[in-house]
Amino acid sequence: MAKAPKKKPAVKPVPEKPSADAPKTTDEALESFLNRSQEPEKETPPPKKRRLSRGAIALIAAIAAVAILICVIVVIVNQPITPGADEILPDKPAELATTVDEKGEHHIEVGTDSEGEIRQNGYGELVSYTPAQIVKIEVENTAGSFVVNAETPEGEATVYTVTGFEGYDLQPGMADAVANDAASVTFSSVAAVDGNLADFGLEKPRATVRVSYTDNTTATILVGSDADGGAGTYATLGGSKDVFLVSSDSVDAFLYSVLDLISAEITPSATSVDDNVFSVIELSGTHYPDPITIVPNDDEAIKSSYRLTSPYEMFADNYEGNDVSGSIRGLYAESVVSVNPSGSQLSSYGLSDPYAQVRAVYPDTQINLACSSPTENGLVNLYNPDNGIVYTIRLDALGWANTDLDLLLPKTVIELNLACVNAIDVTSDSKDYALTVDYNTKSTTNEQGDTEQSVEIKASLDGKRIPTDSFRIFFQNFNAMTNLGNVSESGTNIVYQWHVSYSSGRADDTIAIYDTGDKACPVALNGILIGSVSKSHVSSLQQDILDLKNNKIPNSL
């Protein structure tokens, strides 16, 4: 192609000088102006300076300071952000070279210049897989070692097992956490190239993880120390000395112990209401001077859900009984301590001679548990011999381990079901009274044609009818006798006694109250001392029987 011709530079015209012979011209007006006489100008005195007040000076200074500050902010905001030596732009990937050697091992190399400096720092990935592409994860850390095996049937969820613990349930989500960390390891920056591993806790790593993938490759991940200020954790891949900064929670699962993977469920929950109803609960251990046996109360004559059969026959307090029976099924531990412990290990956990033991029988299973004495922080070791695991749990979560006979005794002396009472023989102040109760059931039909039944109570004292309402008050006052407990002996002077017979078929009960001169009177049920009642309540009951005898309405307590 021919070159275009260069343009010549433009030449400015030069004005011609007038010749010496040229005629002169005169501008008279101009000449007159130039030759005019100059009069001296009057000097103008300088203006007087006005002195500012201190307030005005302060105001001006404040305005100036604000203006300067605004200028500084504007300058700072408009300055370009230049990362320092340790600052990485979040949208800049590191320059990496990833390879797989002839053994299938993943390696990674950070790009450097001729002087060995990082060409481009930034974020990236050490490995990038999904949990479904994992076959095995071998973990070795300061807590020990374990192997997680993964199997993902086509179209189904991944199933994990732990080598040597195949027969044990795993804690939900824990194996998944290990697999998630092993599948994909991302980093936020390169911490060092060909660095001194000891500086990053990688010479003796906290965890060494070898992952096997479905594509027949493997990756070895080393987890070092945490960076200062919670910036992350140092890690490296495949034995390389290139160190990367990763998020701490992306490798924390590599620090688990094998016991962290075992399920913390101590006992299973019942799958139906019927299966949650026990037939017997037995309590023993060093905490109990005498073994205690609790069974459900099926006697309708007594308003109690539970009954003691040992160390003696007695009805149990409903609240305490609920606490005992409600802390056996569906228990979860705070941690797993040991699996298949030896006899010496059980002894070291305080379980060779347990503090408390429970045996509970249900329609679908039998549960046996034993716990150690509590520590100062309220924790106990709990052993389930059925699965061979020792757990830790708080003592206050085990109602069966922190109850006692006094707590199990009912809060009232006895609570009778009036509908089942046939007769009450009362002895008060050495005088005998005979109370009988008859029931008349009436059936009526309402406007809707439904049949309704009502029970009419007819009470008599020594053969003489007494008002039903008065008898109800007397009966309620007796049922309301609070059991104060804490009695070691009864004495011999009976000041008040009930002998109750029932229409339900229950054997007669005798409730005897003794006077020992104290404010609390011992009380015995069928000859067994079960606690005490206040002397004032006994006096009120004695007055009640006199009121009924004299056709008076007793005072409701």
Side-chain angles (χ1 to χ4, degrees):
M1 181 181 294
K3 293 184 179 180
K6 294 183 178 179
K7 293 182 179 180
K8 294 182 179 180
V11 179
K12 294 184 179 179
V14 179
E16 296 181 359
K17 294 183 178 180
S19 63
D21 299 332
K24 294 182 181 180
T25 60
T26 302
D27 188 334
E28 294 181 357
L30 176 60
E31 187 175 332
S32 174
F33 172 78
L34 294 174
N35 294 326
R36 74 188 189 281
S37 60
Q38 301 290 331
E39 295 183 2
E41 296 183 359
K42 295 181 180 180
E43 293 185 3
T44 304
K48 293 183 179 180
K49 294 183 179 180
R50 296 182 62 185
R51 182 169 296 177
L52 298 177
S53 66
R54 291 182 180 179
I57 292 173
L59 177 61
I60 292 172
I63 294 174
V66 171
I68 292 171
L69 179 61
I70 292 174
C71 292
V72 171
I73 293 174
V74 170
V75 170
I76 291 175
V77 169
N78 286 280
Q79 288 295 316
I81 300 175
T82 304
D86 297 326
E87 295 175 342
I88 305 301
L89 291 175
D91 58 348
K92 180 189 294 184
E95 184 177 309
L96 304 170
T98 57
T99 58
V100 177
D101 63 20
E102 65 278 4
K103 295 181 180 180
E105 180 80 11
H106 285 270
H107 297 277
I108 193 167
E109 185 177 350
V110 178
T112 57
D113 57 22
S114 58
E115 297 180 357
E117 299 294 331
I118 300 173
R119 272 200 296 265
Q120 179 168 294
N121 206 331
Y123 63 85
E125 293 180 316
L126 301 183
V127 290
S128 180
Y129 286 89
T130 65
Q133 295 173 296
I134 291 177
V135 176
K136 184 168 61 175
I137 309 167
E138 301 167 81
V139 178
E140 182 179 353
N141 57 36
T142 54
S145 61
F146 60 87
V147 178
V148 175
N149 304 291
E151 183 178 355
T152 308
E154 187 174 353
E156 298 182 20
T158 303
V159 177
Y160 299 101
T161 57
V162 178
T163 300
F165 299 87
E166 289 82 1
Y168 296 89
D169 293 331
L170 300 183
Q171 184 74 353
M174 300 299 278
D176 295 272
V178 177
N180 286 332
D181 286 1
S184 176
V185 181
T186 60
F187 61 87
S188 58
S189 66
V190 180
V193 172
D194 194 24
N196 183 1
L197 296 183
D199 293 340
F200 303 94
L202 289 162
E203 187 176 41
K204 295 180 179 179
R206 287 192 292 167
T208 300
V209 184
R210 183 175 176 82
V211 190
S212 301
Y213 302 103
T214 54
D215 61 1
N216 296 321
T217 64
T218 59
T220 302
I221 304 163
L222 274 60
V223 179
S225 57
D226 291 332
D228 293 338
T233 299
Y234 298 114
T236 189
L237 180 72
S240 170
K241 290 187 177 181
D242 292 350
V243 181
F244 304 88
L245 185 64
V246 303
S247 172
S248 297
D249 59 9
S250 68
V251 292
D252 58 352
F254 296 151
L255 305 178
Y256 291 166
S257 76
V258 67
L259 297 179
D260 291 325
L261 303 180
I262 305 301
S263 174
E265 183 185 66
I266 302 171
T267 55
S269 299
T271 57
S272 68
V273 175
D274 291 340
D275 286 343
N276 202 39
V277 179
F278 68 90
S279 58
V280 62
I281 293 176
E282 296 174 349
L283 307 180
S284 60
T286 59
H287 177 59
Y288 299 105
D290 298 298
I292 298 174
T293 302
I294 306 172
V295 298
N297 176 39
D298 55 2
D299 191 339
E300 61 177 344
I302 307 297
K303 291 183 177 180
S304 179
S305 299
Y306 307 101
R307 182 166 55 91
L308 303 180
T309 60
S310 65
Y312 49 74
E313 286 278 349
M314 182 64 216
F315 293 95
D317 178 69
N318 282 339
Y319 292 106
E320 193 67 17
N322 288 338
D323 197 27
V324 171
S325 62
S327 60
I328 299 174
R329 302 204 71 158
L331 284 179
Y332 278 85
E334 296 205 2
S335 63
V336 177
V337 175
S338 177
V339 177
N340 288 330
S342 63
S344 60
Q345 286 177 315
L346 286 176
S347 179
S348 67
Y349 298 139
L351 293 164
S352 58
D353 189 13
Y355 173 78
Q357 296 182 102
V358 62
R359 184 181 80 91
V361 179
Y362 299 89
D364 63 328
T365 189
Q366 176 177 302
I367 293 176
N368 300 277
L369 300 171
C371 79
S372 65
S373 299
T375 60
E376 291 182 358
N377 58 2
L379 289 174
V380 298
N381 292 321
L382 177 63
Y383 181 49
N384 184 346
D386 296 327
N387 61 19
I389 299 179
V390 178
Y391 308 87
T392 58
I393 191 172
R394 298 198 64 81
L395 178 65
D396 55 19
L398 306 176
W400 53 267
N402 58 21
T403 189
D404 57 40
L405 194 57
D406 285 339
L407 292 173
L408 283 167
L409 292 179
K411 298 303 180 285
T412 56
V413 172
I414 193 169
E415 191 170 1
L416 305 177
N417 183 358
L418 179 56
C420 297
V421 174
N422 189 41
I424 303 173
D425 294 327
V426 180
T427 299
S428 177
D429 284 338
S430 301
K431 294 180 181 180
D432 297 329
Y433 303 89
L435 279 164
T436 57
V437 186
D438 294 321
Y439 303 91
N440 182 23
T441 302
K442 292 183 178 181
S443 297
T444 58
T445 303
N446 58 25
E447 296 179 354
Q448 288 75 29
D450 299 326
T451 301
E452 298 178 347
Q453 290 186 339
S454 60
V455 178
E456 180 185 12
I457 298 175
K458 294 181 179 180
S460 300
L461 176 59
D462 294 336
K464 182 180 178 181
R465 284 286 302 276
I466 57 176
T468 300
D469 290 343
S470 296
F471 173 74
R472 283 184 179 277
I473 294 173
F474 166 78
F475 189 83
Q476 289 170 358
N477 287 345
F478 176 82
N479 266 353
M481 277 193 300
T482 300
N483 187 347
L484 303 177
N486 300 322
V487 172
S488 58
E489 56 183 29
S490 64
T492 58
N493 182 24
I494 297 177
V495 294
Y496 197 90
Q497 179 173 282
W498 281 38
H499 184 85
V500 186
S501 60
Y502 303 92
S503 58
S504 62
R506 172 180 170 79
D508 293 359
D509 285 319
T510 299
I511 301 97
I513 299 173
Y514 299 83
D515 185 4
T516 58
D518 296 329
K519 292 183 179 179
C521 298
V523 58
L525 175 63
N526 299 325
I528 299 174
L529 193 66
I530 62 170
S532 63
V533 296
S534 70
K535 192 169 186 178
S536 61
H537 199 124
V538 176
S539 299
S540 296
L541 290 175
Q542 290 175 319
Q543 183 60 46
D544 288 348
I545 196 71
L546 294 176
D547 288 341
L548 292 179
K549 187 69 176 179
N550 297 320
N551 201 27
K552 293 182 179 180
I553 300 175
N555 292 323
S556 176
L557 300 179

